[in-house]
């Protein structure tokens, strides 16, 4: 058996290597192997669709016995004494609502908001991009200047102005997110169309007498599909964050509705006594947005490597 | 170059006009605009005040005239009075502007100091554990809502460890860089800077990778120049262009980002004023705050464009 000197025993090579390789491993699993992202997003989808069945309690009903109740696994004695029949998995918030049920219902809210906003954004953005790229000239100029102007405006502030005028509501947030979503598509779709329309098959379709509507719908639209898919997956995370920020500054979804941003905003004052009311919704946002970013990166590398930055 | 400047200036002015039109349009879109300022017959509102308001808004005129009139009042600095305290909006805003700029500048400094060197190191030690750790940090910065990060910082550093104050700006007396004053800036500016530092890092990293791959670096290497001068003298200077040009853009990002961060840390700035205006339904304040943010944002965008054109002449002709 080989003898070791003390110095060899002391060198923390193994543990240090393990700690420093953790981020690397994380990247490896998330990116090369998007299954983890897919599992997280699948869970989001599942919770969102079956929110009523999955959540153990009513997300809106208050129970003052369980104000700021700790998570179940942390403090069994609290529940044995106060409410043996009702035990909150991730604790209760400042009016005794179940944090876990609210997160599950929040998944539904995020899902509805982002999918509707994104769908609207895609339709409008892609249509403008197609028209702008195909026709060029004055139409192109006007649309592109519109996009420029839109990019140069601070979205959050204008959203806050409209909230004062119209009052905060679910539909207003939906509209605002749709307004945020469209502009990202126009430029990239336009750039794609500019190169696609020079292809031979488009020229042949033109010679064959196809009207421009047919050329755009049948020949150009399928060509931009990959770009749209990639941008959409990269935008969703932004939309979720924007919704949360809007809710946080009081310009989002009105209060009893369990959206993640609303939960964090409401629980802010109780952070010292009930950290779980803030930490868990935040982790939910982090997991979802990070999964979306990884999945988007993966899809970009897969479907549209031209959009890739040097990596 | 001159035509470029004129073009960009034109686009900038267009953005500002668009912003005023959006704000004006919103104010007129919700039925009776009078209701935004006062409710006829409401408590503490005299009929004379209503009449004066009607005259000021010019509600009997066509919409286009109302807009021009409103714009004229804006240009003269007449932003109206706040609904709650009836003080002139210009006064309220100017009191708050300084705090927001201080925070924005601190965050910008922090993000530049941290983000750019981190990007260089990440590029030169590509694929190392360091690279991945830095990119992980950047990724978190982009996936986490800043208000949540801020609250977590408060929980950790103020509540648990008791090292830093929970919020506010302090009273800012004595030597400006004394710990007594600086400690108030740490948590808010870190919160605000994290996302931007991530942006700097990504941009610097990809710029460095591109430059390090170019011919003149290969030549320097072939000549036997040591790695350190190659990285810091030859490559870094050229890779600095993209992060320099986005730096003013990121500063603009801070200005909107400050709305959220100021709310978390009870920072006495413009963003917090805007949030309070939403809570109080104070339309005059919100309008003014939004327009000032637009102005700063658009101006910084313009400066970015100019910087870009000065540094990289190809842009001017595109």
């Amino acid at each position: 058996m080989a003898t070791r000197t003390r110095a060899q025993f002391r060198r923390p090579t193994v543990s240090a290597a393990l700690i420093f390789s953790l981020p690397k491993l994380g990247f490896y699993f998330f990116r090369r192997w998007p299954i983890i992202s897919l599992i997280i997003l699948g869970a989001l989808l599942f919770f969102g669709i079956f929110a009523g069945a999955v959540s153990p309690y009513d997300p809106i009903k208050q129970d003052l016995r369980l104000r700021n109740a700790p998570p179940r696994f942390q403090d069994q004695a609290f529940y044995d004494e106060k409410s043996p029949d009702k035990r909150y998995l991730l604790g209760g918030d400042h009016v005794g609502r179940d944090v876990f049920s609210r997160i599950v219902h929040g998944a539904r809210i995020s899902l509805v908001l982002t999918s509707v906003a994104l769908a609207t954004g895609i339709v409008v953005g892609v249509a403008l991009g197609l028209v702008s790229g195909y026709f060029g000239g004055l139409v192109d100029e006007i649309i592109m200047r519109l996009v420029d102007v839109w990019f140069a405006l601070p979205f959050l502030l204008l959203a806050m102005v409209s909230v004062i005028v119209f009052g905060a509501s679910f539909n207003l947030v939906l509209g605002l997110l749709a307004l945020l979503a469209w502009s990202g598509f126009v430029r990239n779709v336009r750039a794609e169309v500019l190169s696609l329309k020079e292809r031979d098959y488009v020229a042949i379709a033109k010679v064959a007498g196809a009207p421009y509507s047919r050329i755009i719908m049948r020949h150009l639209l399928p060509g931009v599909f990959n770009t749209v898919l990639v941008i959409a997956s990269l935008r969703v995370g932004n939309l979720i964050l924007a919704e949360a920020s809007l809710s946080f500054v009081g310009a989002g979804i009105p209060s009893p509705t369990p959206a993640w941003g609303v939960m964090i905003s409401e629980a802010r004052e109780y952070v010292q006594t009930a950290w779980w009311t803030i930490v868990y919704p935040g982790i939910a946002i982090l997991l979802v947005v990070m999964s979306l970013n990884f999945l988007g990166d993966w899809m970009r590398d897969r479907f549209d490597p031209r959009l890739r930055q040097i990596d | 170059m001159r035509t470029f400047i004129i073009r960009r200036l034109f686009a900038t002015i267009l953005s500002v006009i668009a912003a005023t039109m959006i704000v004006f349009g919103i104010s007129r879109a919700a039925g009776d605009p009078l209701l935004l300022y006062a409710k006829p017959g409401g408590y503490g509102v005299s009929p004379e005040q209503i009449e004066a308001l009607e005259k000021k808004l010019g509600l009997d005129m066509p919409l286009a005239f109302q807009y021009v009139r409103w714009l004229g009042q804006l240009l003269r600095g007449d932003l109206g009075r706040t609904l709650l305290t009836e003080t002139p909006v210009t006064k309220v805003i100017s009191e708050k502007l300084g705090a927001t700029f201080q925070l924005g500048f601190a965050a910008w400094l922090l993000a530049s100091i941290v983000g750019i060197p981190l990007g260089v190191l990440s590029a030169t030690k590509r694929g190392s554990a360091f690279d991945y750790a830095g990119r992980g940090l950047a990724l978190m910065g982009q996936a986490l809502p800043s208000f949540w990060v801020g609250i977590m910082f408060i929980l950790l550093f103020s509540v648990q460890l008791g090292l830093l104050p929970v919020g506010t700006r302090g009273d800012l007396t004595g030597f400006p860089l004394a710990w007594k004053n600086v400690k108030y800036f740490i948590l808010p500016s870190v919160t605000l800077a994290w996302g931007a530092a991530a942006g700097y890092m990504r941009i610097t990293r990809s710029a460095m990778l591109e430059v390090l791959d170019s011919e003149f670096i290969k030549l320097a290497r072939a000549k036997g120049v040591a790695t350190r001068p190659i990285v810091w003298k030859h490559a870094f200077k050229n890779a600095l262009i993209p992060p320099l040009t986005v730096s003013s853009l990121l500063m603009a990002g801070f200005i909107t980002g400050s709305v959220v961060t100021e709310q978390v840390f009870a920072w006495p700035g413009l963003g917090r004023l805007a949030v309070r205006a939403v809570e109080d339904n104070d339309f005059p304040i919100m309008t003014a705050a939004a327009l000032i943010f637009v102005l700063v944002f658009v101006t910084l965008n313009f400066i970015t464009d100019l910087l870009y054109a000065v540094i990289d002449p190809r842009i001017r002709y595109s």
Side-chain angles (χ1 to χ4, degrees):
Chain A
M1 192 177 157
T3 50
R4 291 181 187 177
T5 63
R6 282 180 66 159
Q8 272 175 322
F9 272 111
R10 276 195 181 170
R11 260 166 51 195
T13 40
V14 178
S15 57
L18 202 71
I19 290 169
F20 280 115
S21 60
L22 272 181
K24 194 169 177 171
L25 282 176
F27 263 90
Y28 179 80
F29 279 117
F30 264 107
R31 189 151 192 184
R32 299 281 137 70
W33 210 43
I35 190 82
I36 297 176
S37 301
L38 285 177
I39 288 174
I40 292 172
L41 295 176
L44 175 82
L45 211 63
F46 177 77
F47 283 160
I49 294 170
F50 301 107
V54 175
S55 65
Y57 304 105
D58 189 326
I60 296 177
K61 196 156 167 261
Q62 306 180 354
D63 186 344
L64 293 183
R65 282 179 311 164
L66 294 173
R67 274 169 56 193
N68 290 338
R72 187 162 69 188
F73 53 81
Q74 195 193 343
D75 195 350
Q76 286 289 355
F78 176 90
Y79 287 102
D80 289 340
E81 186 192 333
K82 282 202 169 163
S83 115
D85 52 323
K86 210 172 169 187
R87 290 161 188 263
Y88 288 164
L89 181 63
L90 301 180
D93 69 2
H94 62 289
V95 284
R97 295 172 295 201
D98 179 20
V99 170
F100 177 68
S101 299
R102 284 175 73 74
I103 289 180
V104 169
H105 279 266
R108 169 180 283 182
I109 306 267
S110 291
L111 217 57
V112 171
L113 276 176
T114 48
S115 51
V116 175
L118 200 65
T120 324
I122 287 179
V123 170
V124 175
V126 172
L128 286 177
L130 284 170
V131 168
S132 178
Y134 183 74
F135 291 109
L138 187 65
V139 183
D140 182 31
E141 186 73 10
I142 290 173
I143 292 176
M144 290 325 284
R145 288 296 85 76
L146 197 71
V147 174
D148 280 351
V149 167
W150 192 249
F151 264 114
L153 296 176
F155 167 77
L156 189 63
L157 275 301
L158 295 178
M160 286 163 84
V161 174
S162 56
V163 164
I164 290 190
V165 176
F166 301 110
S169 70
F170 186 83
N171 289 339
L172 182 68
V173 175
L174 205 60
L176 288 172
L177 289 183
L179 281 177
L180 185 64
W182 69 275
S183 54
F185 292 95
V186 184
R187 276 185 191 166
N188 287 304
V189 169
R190 173 179 173 271
E192 192 78 359
V193 169
L194 282 181
S195 82
L196 278 181
K197 76 173 180 183
E198 303 298 334
R199 300 276 181 89
D200 285 342
Y201 72 89
V202 177
I204 291 169
K206 253 188 220 169
V207 172
Y212 64 83
S213 57
R214 189 181 163 85
I215 292 177
I216 289 179
M217 295 303 286
R218 296 295 291 269
H219 300 296
L220 294 178
L221 187 59
V224 300
F225 183 74
N226 283 348
T227 311
V228 172
L229 196 69
V230 170
I231 297 172
S233 66
L234 292 170
R235 288 298 287 176
V236 184
N238 280 350
L239 286 179
I240 290 180
L241 286 182
E243 184 269 314
S245 301
L246 274 177
S247 297
F248 184 75
V249 296
I253 297 163
S255 177
T257 316
W260 292 340
V262 177
M263 291 175 71
I264 295 176
S265 167
E266 279 186 340
R268 207 174 76 230
E269 290 160 37
Y270 306 94
V271 64
Q272 298 195 29
T273 45
W275 55 267
W276 48 88
T277 50
I278 288 189
V279 172
Y280 292 125
I283 290 177
I285 296 179
L286 172 69
L287 284 179
V288 169
V289 176
M290 207 134 132
S291 307
L292 284 166
N293 285 351
F294 269 114
L295 196 69
D297 279 350
W298 181 79
M299 284 191 356
R300 183 191 57 197
D301 295 351
R302 192 77 207 242
F303 297 126
D304 205 347
R306 275 164 304 166
L307 288 176
R308 173 160 43 175
Q309 298 153 324
I310 293 178
D311 199 39
Chain B
M1 187 68 191
R2 213 161 113 196
T3 46
F4 176 81
I5 292 178
I6 291 170
R7 252 181 92 100
R8 292 313 308 166
L9 196 64
F10 183 69
T12 304
I13 292 169
L14 213 64
S15 286
V16 175
I17 292 176
T20 59
M21 275 167 114
I22 289 172
V23 170
F24 179 80
I26 293 171
S27 78
R28 294 297 185 267
D32 190 357
L34 211 55
L35 290 177
L36 289 173
Y37 297 90
K39 201 169 171 184
Y43 178 76
V45 186
S46 64
E48 290 82 40
Q49 275 174 304
I50 295 286
E51 212 168 287
L53 194 62
E54 243 177 329
K55 211 171 152 197
K56 184 176 171 173
L57 294 175
L59 291 180
D60 50 342
M61 294 191 287
L63 214 55
F65 283 92
Q66 288 182 35
Y67 172 68
V68 172
R69 185 182 180 133
W70 177 76
L71 206 60
Q73 282 164 352
L74 274 188
L75 286 177
R76 269 173 276 140
D78 176 10
L79 297 158
R81 285 166 180 275
T82 66
L83 296 188
L84 279 185
T85 53
E86 297 238 322
T87 37
V89 170
T90 357
K91 187 162 164 271
V92 179
I93 296 265
S94 58
E95 281 167 5
K96 303 282 184 187
L97 211 53
T100 297
F101 279 127
Q102 283 164 4
L103 181 58
F105 183 70
W108 174 74
L109 212 61
L110 192 69
S112 313
I113 291 172
V114 174
I116 293 177
L118 213 60
V120 173
L121 285 174
S122 181
T124 47
K125 301 194 189 322
R126 191 177 174 194
S128 68
F130 185 84
D131 181 21
Y132 281 99
R135 280 163 70 191
L137 217 64
L139 207 82
M140 298 271 276
Q142 283 169 334
L144 279 171
S146 62
F147 54 89
W148 191 75
V149 173
I151 295 171
M152 288 299 111
F153 279 160
I154 292 180
L155 194 61
L156 185 64
F157 293 104
S158 307
V159 178
Q160 294 292 329
L161 300 175
L163 292 176
L164 296 163
V166 176
T168 74
R169 191 179 48 154
D171 49 9
L172 277 190
T173 49
F175 181 59
L177 288 179
W179 173 245
K180 176 173 94 53
N181 294 328
V182 170
K183 66 179 180 185
Y184 287 98
F185 276 84
I186 295 176
L187 291 185
S189 51
V190 171
T191 307
L192 199 51
W194 191 350
Y200 268 137
M201 206 205 100
R202 280 178 78 131
I203 290 165
T204 315
R205 182 172 180 276
S206 54
M208 271 305 273
L209 286 177
E210 203 170 330
V211 173
L212 283 175
D213 201 36
S214 61
E215 296 292 322
F216 75 94
I217 296 291
K218 279 179 199 150
L219 178 70
R221 279 196 208 279
K223 272 165 57 185
V225 182
T227 306
R228 190 170 293 182
I230 286 184
V231 170
W232 292 103
K233 262 179 101 175
H234 298 237
F236 181 61
K237 268 188 198 163
N238 287 290
L240 207 56
I241 296 171
L244 260 188
T245 45
V246 294
S247 76
S248 63
L249 210 62
L250 286 172
M251 188 118 175
F254 290 143
I255 285 171
T256 33
S258 67
V259 176
V260 170
T261 311
E262 284 178 10
Q263 181 65 6
V264 174
F265 291 98
W267 194 263
L270 198 54
R272 192 168 152 73
L273 188 74
V275 175
R276 178 128 359 118
V278 171
E279 281 163 13
D280 298 341
N281 264 344
D282 203 327
F283 188 70
I285 290 191
M286 190 62 233
T287 318
L291 288 177
I292 287 196
F293 275 122
V294 167
L295 210 62
V296 175
F297 200 79
V298 166
T299 313
L300 288 173
N301 271 336
F302 178 62
I303 294 173
T304 307
D305 282 347
L306 287 193
L307 266 180
Y308 223 163
V310 168
I311 293 172
D312 190 348
R314 280 169 300 178
I315 301 290
R316 289 175 223 162
Y317 306 107
S318 65

